[in-house]
Amino acid sequence: MLRWIIFVVIYFVLGIYTLQALRTLTRYPWVYYFFMLMSLLVLGNFIYQFTMGETPGRVLSVSKSYAFGLLLAMLAFKSITIIFLFSEDIFRFLAGGYQKLFGETKEFSLPERRRFLSAIAMGIAALPFSALLYGMIKGKYNFKVLKYELEFDDLPDSFNGYRITQISDVHSGSFDNREKIEYAINLINEQKSDILLFTGDMVNNKAEEMYPWKDLFSTLEAKDGKYSVLGNHDYGDYVDWETAEAKSKNLKDLKELQREMGFDLLLNESRYLQKGSDKIALIGVENWGRGGFKKAGDLKKAVADINKGDFKILMSHDPSHWEDEVLKDDYHYHLTLSGHTHGMQFGIEIPGWVKWSPVKWRYKYWAGVYEELGQMINVNRGFGYLGYPGRVGIWPEITVITLKKRTLV
């Protein structure tokens, strides 16, 4: 309860500052009243959804996500405004103090706010506010196909030109537009890759979230099959289950659901992909994440049936597994495919120029292709979204990787 009180107080303090900027810019009372009404509605909806809504507790529903997204947009607007106004207040206070000490009247008074500074503050604050709203309306379904050609010295000849489509982090419990998801499924199939690999987080929390989308994802096609692994959200660890049996059943249902959709779910297992006399090993581990994330992945168990010298593709949901365990392993994993980070669903990317997101402070390998010790990883930015119901700058991704045999010059 105390946390809610502190949060509400901070929210209103931010609102008072923003209201001052509005009063400096315009004399129309309806503008102030509209801002106050919107501010109260956003706060009230957020409190309702997270205390008395249809899904109380930690489970994120679509309505909760939108309540959070709108609050985030409003807080971004207010926070940037207050940076400018608070800086101005420091100047005003110093100017008032100088007037009292050295001025003719010897009275302490604050100079009026400068209109142009309030205009600058509101204009800059409108940028993230608009971007966050755009991310909720359009950005979350702004699917991008990212294509890479990766070269390897020891790729078996028959696999030269082999195409892999990777998707990750579906988070089906967040979807709210069937037409857009159908478009994305068609986009995946249009790539006509040899194999489709899904690297975890099919749902937010419960298997039932995938039921409305089962028919669509069942239409995904790849001539050499569809393979998947589990992500941290697939285990149902973020739900307050009534019984351990209910949680166990949920995981069992999700595993069965993936198989019904045509995915070969790899649970610390491996498969060989064969073309003529050549083969490559496909390995899938359960989730292994640094920190408090589940560490069910068992790399040694997963490679028990393959040879050390095989060309290997590893599916592992969390890129911290690659950094902490895979790179140090005795086996050489030519290519690892991960997801998990979502690129934080927010950042700036201009191909060839800029790639930045706050998530880089948490994950060294957070989006795209990296190479270390002669081994590569692709971190997919994610198909869906979680928490904030949108994407800004870091768009939903469908990865197409073409394996190439490096030619000696």
Side-chain angles (χ1 to χ4, degrees), residues 266-274 279-285 298-312 331 333:
L266 303 181
L267 302 170
N268 296 321
E269 299 172 89
S270 64
R271 303 284 188 269
Y272 274 117
L273 305 176
Q274 195 89 27
K279 63 182 180 180
I280 60 177
L282 177 65
I283 303 133
V285 295
D298 188 334
L299 196 55
K300 297 299 183 185
K301 180 181 178 182
V303 299
D305 296 327
I306 70 170
N307 300 314
K308 188 174 183 179
D310 290 329
F311 186 94
K312 293 177 283 296
Y331 278 27
Y333 295 89

